[in-house]
């Protein structure tokens, strides 16, 4: 192990600039001649646009221009696209209504984009935006997920009859029905997976500049995948030829999925800066973020488990209605289909699974990936149903899981829902978690709580997720429009320091530290001499970005492969310089050595020789700089068990998490401190969904939780100190032996918390978020 290499909890290199106020976020960037943009948004959830009067706005003080959807259409710009095709049960692709960047003839949710106002100052843009007069013809709104496709509902898009985007079946329906017919017991559960607003601390922003000399557009924006932004804006939205479009994503203040997608604001600002030949800047305020950022989750599900007399799972049947919002977002179709139903096996040997997903349109903001993206929804359904099944069979929740776990010697394990799990030891993770949580001592703690009039509960969640997204061949067969490999360039400068260019991008994960640790481990270069560069399409080679816990599992492997190429080239250079056979050269700890001797060259000396090739192999190119790509053969499959212990005051319904224990399998840990931080953040995210966060629209389509006064985010006093441990296994398909870690907490936490609450209350189910009012009502009902 290098001093600051793999397995060391190195403090984050990037934190210094944040701590001294030198972070550089999109809204920090200002340029000469900059103008400011405000979007006129629909106040109605569903309405025709009968006319737009712009005269008062156009003559308002400081106004540079006002544009509508007609202006974009005249220039052939747009519409926004969905990048993944899902085949419906009729054999046809999903129904894809047009999604104009500025509304044309109709608006479909509160916050829909109607016009853009550009002015010399932000205040002038805001004043002028209020002078845009829109004649709306108000239509009934559809906001309820469960009834959106009911007969007689208001039609939202002509292209999507009955408001259905797709009906997607998976599995052997007849075999599952036969298993249910012969089952000893059938456990059933109806549940809702509550809609969330992702709420990264930094709102979205974009600054567009147009250079008339080079005819190049530069967009500074808040993106998790700059190259993907450039590709889509160029190839599908016709903004500019790809080589004339530069995307710069500087420091990004959190993403959690919400900054993956291509949004209307980015396209419109990019077009408008060329139209007015001035830099144009837009920064979302928090209300705009609530209204127009892609939301997450929002499922209504009925699930059933068939069991034999010993509590073994025979078959699983799931029916889900998934809300896509008013339009299909960039990956909106993928989340409730492939990222959801492909995880229904969980950690269990359930031999038969059948599911149907009905994806519907509503007059609400588009729904797409939010931390975990489909995996939290699958795990919540399954782990809640497993607890219900345990109660139905009179078994302890631990015991029913043990009886159904995939054994460690069964890996790689082919599930009945497409995925082939790489590695796992679910029994080991469970045993460690039970010890960490002092599960055996829970009974005594529950009795003690009763003496104080309190209710104690304990809940488990044994999850598995698919991440390290993704094998290009697999996602291509599923209908994705892109490959999901990753790339890297590792470049030595003549003086021996190293620049690492990665197609991954950080939004707080610590890439500048962990990627540097990987290089110092492999090449022996001091970590302070390594710079990680990302986020600028003009500097970095094409890459696919950061989402799906893929940065180290895919991007890190690309970096490692580039390092391997440098070592191979370095051996040739060292052999020539040391007058030895290439086969006699060994590399370790940053030095090339002739085997069995003390004759050596440092890698810095080799790099200098490569750039000053006075004595150099004749058939070898100068320079010390290598590129590599990595396309994984399989997903990686982290898993683990989380255990939550709660105490409830039945008089108030207030839930306190007393103890939270998590044991995860992330494979090899590059930086244990950063991994633990990711787990902490993920658990807190999941606790927020379980206890606090709820995005609500009223029947007219008004978002009634559009501020932090109404939308409750988790705070420090909502979570305890977490007890974290690991049960690692070695994934055979990953050359570094790593699995993703950033989403696991958000996947494992919600069912663990709700299972603990239902255990404390003695009730079958309570929907998220388990607010004090809900819990109090359940407690009174149970009493």
């Amino acid at each position: 192990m290098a001093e600051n290499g793999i397995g060391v909890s190195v403090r984050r290199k990037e934190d210094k600039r944040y701590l001294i106020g030198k972070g550089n976020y999109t809204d920090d960037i200002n340029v000469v001649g900059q103008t400011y943009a405000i979007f006129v948004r629909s106040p109605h959830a569903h309405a025709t646009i009968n006319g737009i009067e712009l005269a008062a706005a156009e003559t308002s003080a400081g106004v540079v221009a006002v544009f509508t959807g007609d202006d974009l259409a005249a220039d052939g710009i747009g519409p926004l696209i969905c990048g993944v095709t899902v085949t419906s049960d009729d054999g046809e692709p999903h129904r894809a209504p047009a999604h104009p960047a500025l509304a044309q003839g109709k608006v479909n949710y509160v916050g829909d984009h109607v016009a853009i106002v550009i002015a010399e100052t932000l205040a002038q843009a805001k004043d002028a935006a209020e002078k845009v007069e829109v004649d709306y013809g108000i239509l009934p709104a559809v906001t309820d997920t469960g009834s959106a496709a009911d007969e007689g509902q208001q039609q939202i898009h002509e292209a999507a009859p009955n408001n259905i985007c797709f009906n997607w079946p998976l599995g052997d329906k007849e075999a599952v029905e036969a298993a249910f017919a012969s089952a000893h017991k059938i456990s059933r559960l109806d549940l809702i997976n509550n809609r969330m607003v992702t709420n990264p601390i930094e709102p979205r922003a974009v600054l567009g500049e147009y250079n008339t000399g080079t005819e190049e557009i530069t967009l500074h924006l808040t993106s998790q995948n700059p190259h993907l932004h450039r590709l889509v804006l160029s190839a599908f939205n016709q903004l500019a030829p790809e080589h004339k479009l530069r995307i710069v994503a500087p420091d990004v203040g959190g993403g959690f999925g919400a900054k993956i997608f291509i949004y209307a604001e980015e396209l419109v600002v990019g077009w408008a800066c060329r139209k007015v030949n001035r830099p144009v800047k837009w920064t979302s305020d928090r209300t705009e973020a609530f209204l127009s950022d892609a939301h997450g989750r929002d499922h209504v599900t009925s699930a059933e488990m068939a069991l034999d007399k010993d509590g073994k799972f025979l078959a699983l049947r799931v029916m889900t209605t998934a809300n896509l919002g008013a339009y299909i977002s960039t990956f909106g179709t993928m989340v409730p289909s492939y990222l959801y139903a492909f995880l229904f096996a969980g950690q269990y040997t359930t031999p038969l699974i059948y599911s149907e997903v009905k994806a519907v349109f509503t007059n609400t903001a588009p729904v797409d990936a939010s931390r975990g993206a489909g995996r939290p929804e699958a795990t919540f359904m399954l782990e809640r149903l497993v607890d219900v099944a345990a109660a139905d069979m009179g078994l302890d929740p631990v015991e029913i899981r043990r009886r159904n776990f995939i054994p460690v010697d069964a890996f790689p394990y082919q599930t009945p829902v497409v995925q082939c799990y790489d590695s796992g030891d679910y029994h080991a993770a469970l045993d460690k978690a039970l010890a960490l949580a002092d599960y055996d001592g829970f009974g005594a703690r529950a009795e003690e709580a009763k003496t104080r009039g309190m209710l104690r509960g304990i809940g488990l969640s044994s999850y598995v997720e698919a991440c390290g997204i993704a094998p290009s061949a697999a996602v291509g067969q599923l209908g994705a429009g892109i490959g999901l490999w990753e790339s890297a360039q590792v470049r030595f400068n003549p003086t021996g320091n190293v620049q690492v260019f990665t197609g991954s991008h950080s939004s707080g994960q610590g890439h500048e530290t962990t990627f540097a640790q990987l290089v110092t481990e492999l090449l022996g270069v001091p970590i302070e001499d390594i710079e990680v560069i990302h986020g600028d399409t003009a500097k970095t080679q094409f890459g696919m970005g950061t989402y799906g816990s893929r940065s180290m599992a895919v991007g890190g492997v690309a970096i490692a492969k580039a390092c391997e190429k440098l070592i191979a080239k370095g051996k040739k250079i060292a052999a020539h310089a040391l007058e030895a056979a290439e086969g006699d050269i060994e590399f370790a700890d940053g030095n090339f050595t002739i085997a069995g001797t003390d004759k050596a060259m440092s890698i810095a000396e080799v790099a200098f020789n490569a750039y000053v090739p006075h004595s150099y192999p004749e058939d070898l190119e100068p320079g010390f700089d290598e590129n590599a790509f990595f396309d994984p053969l399989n997903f990686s499959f982290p898993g683990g068990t989380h255990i939550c212990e709660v105490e409830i005051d039945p008089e108030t319904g207030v839930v306190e998490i007393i103890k939270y224990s998590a044991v995860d399998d992330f494979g090899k840990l590059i930086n244990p401190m950063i991994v633990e931080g990711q787990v902490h953040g993920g658990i807190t995210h999941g606790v927020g969904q379980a206890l606090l966060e709820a995005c609500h629209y009223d029947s007219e389509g008004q978002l009634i939780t559009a501020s932090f006064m109404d939308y409750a985010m988790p705070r420090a006093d909502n979570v305890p100190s977490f007890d974290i441990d690991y049960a690692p296994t070695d994934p055979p398909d990953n050359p570094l032996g790593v699995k993703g870690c950033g989403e696991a907490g958000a996947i494992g936490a919600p069912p663990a918390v709700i299972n603990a609450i239902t255990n404390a209350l003695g009730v079958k189910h309570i929907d998220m978020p388990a607010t004090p009012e809900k819990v109090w009502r359940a407690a009174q009902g149970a009493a």
Side-chain angles (χ1 to χ4, degrees):
M1 181 189 295
E3 180 183 358
N4 290 307
I6 292 174
V8 180
S9 291
V10 177
R11 290 193 176 186
R12 295 182 5 145
K13 295 180 67 176
E14 50 269 72
D15 282 353
K16 178 181 177 180
R17 69 174 182 269
Y18 301 139
L19 292 170
I20 64 173
K22 296 297 183 181
N24 185 39
Y25 299 89
T26 300
D27 192 51
D28 293 325
I29 300 169
N30 295 288
V31 296
V32 175
Q34 176 178 297
T35 62
Y36 295 83
I38 289 291
F39 283 86
V40 178
R41 298 179 183 275
S42 171
H44 304 293
H46 198 199
T48 58
I49 298 176
N50 301 326
I52 304 177
E53 178 54 58
L54 303 177
E58 289 173 331
T59 57
S60 187
V63 167
V64 175
V66 183
F67 298 118
T68 68
D70 290 342
D71 298 305
L72 259 72
D75 282 2
I77 300 296
L80 303 178
I81 66 156
C82 172
V84 180
T85 300
V86 173
T87 301
S88 200
D89 56 3
D90 59 4
E92 295 296 320
H94 68 265
R95 298 174 179 93
H99 184 185
L102 293 177
Q104 293 176 317
K106 193 165 176 279
V107 290
N108 289 305
Y109 68 100
V110 172
D112 207 348
H113 312 75
V114 176
I116 181 174
V117 177
I118 302 167
E120 299 290 350
T121 70
L122 182 59
Q124 288 172 333
K126 287 182 176 181
D127 287 344
E130 300 218 350
K131 297 176 182 177
V132 175
E133 297 181 8
V134 185
D135 178 12
Y136 293 105
I138 300 174
L139 300 170
V142 179
T143 61
D144 178 63
T145 303
S147 62
D150 286 357
E151 190 172 341
Q153 273 283 22
Q154 173 71 31
Q155 183 77 26
I156 299 174
H157 300 288
E158 288 184 12
N162 300 316
N163 299 324
I164 296 173
C165 179
F166 60 79
N167 285 305
W168 183 70
L170 178 68
D172 188 333
K173 184 176 183 179
E174 291 185 1
V176 167
E177 288 178 347
F180 270 84
S182 63
H184 170 75
K185 179 79 71 176
I186 298 174
S187 295
R188 295 181 172 89
L189 181 63
D190 295 330
L191 55 84
I192 293 171
N193 203 289
N194 46 319
R195 177 184 278 242
M196 301 175 69
V197 180
T198 304
N199 278 321
I201 192 168
E202 176 205 26
R204 291 187 296 114
V206 57
L207 169 62
E209 298 179 78
Y210 179 63
N211 185 319
T212 55
T214 62
E215 297 183 334
E216 181 182 71
I217 296 173
T218 298
L219 291 180
H220 296 83
L221 54 79
T222 47
S223 173
Q224 295 175 225
N225 34 246
H227 285 278
L228 188 58
H229 259 90
R230 185 179 70 165
L231 172 64
V232 173
L233 289 170
S234 172
F236 299 100
N237 302 140
Q238 297 80 45
L239 179 58
E242 195 170 358
H243 67 294
K244 294 294 185 180
L245 179 59
R246 178 186 180 189
I247 304 295
V248 182
D251 289 327
V252 177
F256 313 112
K259 294 174 183 172
I260 298 171
F261 323 119
I262 287 75
Y263 287 95
E265 294 90 352
E266 299 153 1
L267 173 58
V268 175
V269 166
W271 168 80
C273 73
R274 180 174 55 199
K275 198 76 172 173
V276 301
N277 196 22
R278 295 273 300 276
V280 179
K281 183 177 187 178
W282 170 80
T283 300
S284 172
D285 63 29
R286 188 57 67 179
T287 297
E288 281 185 293
F290 273 101
L291 292 173
S292 62
D293 285 6
H295 295 172
R297 318 290 192 248
D298 204 343
H299 286 192
V300 176
T301 295
S302 294
E304 301 172 288
M305 184 75 81
L307 302 96
D308 70 11
K309 60 183 177 58
D310 297 318
K312 287 283 288 181
F313 303 155
L314 300 176
L316 172 67
R317 185 163 54 201
V318 182
M319 303 293 163
T320 292
T321 301
N323 192 344
L324 298 182
Y327 303 101
I328 309 174
S329 182
T330 311
F331 294 114
T333 54
M334 188 179 189
V335 175
S337 55
Y338 311 134
L339 294 179
Y340 174 57
F342 283 6
L343 272 297
F344 281 178
Q347 296 190 4
Y348 310 112
T349 57
T350 313
L352 295 166
I353 297 174
Y354 178 75
S355 66
E356 293 180 9
V357 176
K358 179 183 293 183
V360 298
F361 292 107
T362 61
N363 295 117
T364 63
V367 178
D368 209 316
S370 180
R371 198 177 197 164
R375 283 73 52 89
E377 296 93 313
T379 300
F380 184 72
M381 176 279 299
L382 185 60
E383 289 303 288
R384 283 294 299 119
L385 183 59
V386 168
D387 261 35
V388 170
D392 289 346
M393 294 295 296
L395 294 172
D396 186 277
V398 172
E399 179 58 27
I400 199 169
R401 286 171 169 81
R402 287 194 198 280
R403 293 186 187 186
N404 288 282
F405 274 165
I406 299 165
V408 67
D409 59 2
F411 290 92
Y413 181 80
Q414 179 61 56
T415 73
V417 280
V418 181
Q419 299 286 19
C420 182
Y421 295 167
D422 52 5
S423 67
D425 189 342
Y426 303 146
H427 287 280
L430 176 63
D431 290 342
K432 270 192 172 184
L434 293 172
L436 204 60
D438 186 19
Y439 191 83
D440 290 341
F442 171 73
R445 296 193 295 276
E447 287 301 316
E448 186 280 328
K450 283 183 183 177
T451 66
R452 297 182 282 108
M454 307 296 277
L455 303 175
R456 279 265 178 146
I458 196 163
L460 287 78
S461 169
S462 295
Y463 77 93
V464 65
E465 65 159 318
C467 63
I469 293 174
S472 294
V475 298
Q477 291 172 3
L478 295 174
I482 53 173
L484 287 173
W485 43 265
E486 196 47 83
S487 66
Q489 178 186 17
V490 180
R491 177 195 300 169
F492 271 81
N493 293 317
T495 52
N497 44 46
V498 177
Q499 292 176 302
V500 179
F501 300 86
T502 174
S504 299
H505 190 38
S506 175
S507 52
Q509 296 91 340
H511 292 173
E512 293 174 35
T513 303
T514 53
F515 287 165
Q517 286 182 257
L518 183 59
V519 173
T520 199
E521 178 77 24
L522 297 175
L523 299 183
V525 178
I527 196 168
E528 59 270 20
D529 291 341
I530 302 168
E531 179 187 20
V532 176
I533 299 164
H534 51 95
D536 186 342
T537 61
K539 293 181 179 180
T540 62
Q541 70 299 322
F542 196 103
M544 300 313 297
T546 296
Y547 39 83
S549 300
R550 71 189 304 269
S551 293
M552 187 57 72
V554 187
V557 175
I559 292 170
K561 287 185 172 295
C563 291
E564 291 169 2
K565 290 182 178 181
L566 285 168
I567 292 169
K569 183 174 183 177
K571 286 182 177 180
K572 297 179 188 295
I573 298 169
H576 182 86
L578 296 172
E579 301 179 336
E582 183 184 336
D584 292 335
I585 300 295
E586 297 176 341
F587 180 76
D589 302 323
N591 294 299
F592 294 92
T593 306
I594 302 176
T597 75
D598 59 358
K599 294 184 67 176
M601 290 181 73
S602 71
I603 196 168
E605 292 172 316
V606 166
F608 186 80
N609 270 21
Y611 288 107
V612 188
H614 295 166
S615 177
Y616 199 71
E618 291 183 359
D619 59 346
L620 198 63
E621 293 179 350
F624 211 43
D625 176 357
E626 292 290 349
N627 296 303
F629 289 75
F630 177 64
D631 196 346
L633 296 175
N634 193 7
F635 295 87
S636 71
F637 295 90
T641 291
H642 289 206
I643 301 179
C644 178
E645 186 170 333
V646 301
E647 189 167 276
I648 297 172
D649 183 346
E651 297 300 317
T652 64
V654 171
V655 177
E656 180 183 0
I657 298 177
I658 301 297
K659 186 174 177 64
Y660 195 102
S661 309
V663 175
D664 300 291
D665 172 13
F666 299 136
K668 183 183 294 181
L669 306 186
I670 304 299
N671 185 314
M673 178 192 71
I674 287 178
V675 169
E676 186 168 345
Q678 288 291 305
V679 175
H680 286 191
I683 293 171
T684 303
H685 206 141
V687 167
Q689 180 177 15
L691 295 181
L692 298 160
E693 297 184 51
C695 177
H696 285 303
Y697 287 86
D698 68 15
S699 61
E700 295 181 353
Q702 294 296 327
L703 181 60
I704 58 176
T705 52
S707 76
F708 289 137
M709 293 294 290
D710 303 295
Y711 186 96
M713 296 281 286
R715 300 177 300 184
D717 60 352
N718 295 124
V719 293
S721 293
F722 304 117
D723 298 315
I724 306 296
D725 204 349
Y726 307 98
T729 61
D730 185 18
D733 296 323
N734 189 278
L736 288 177
V738 300
K739 301 184 180 187
C741 67
E743 297 168 294
I747 295 167
V753 173
I754 298 300
N755 283 341
I757 292 171
T758 57
N759 175 254
L761 296 174
V763 299
K764 179 178 180 179
H765 183 62
I766 187 169
D767 275 320
M768 300 187 291
T771 60
E773 180 187 356
K774 278 188 192 175
V775 173
W776 178 84
R777 290 186 183 279
Q780 304 314 303

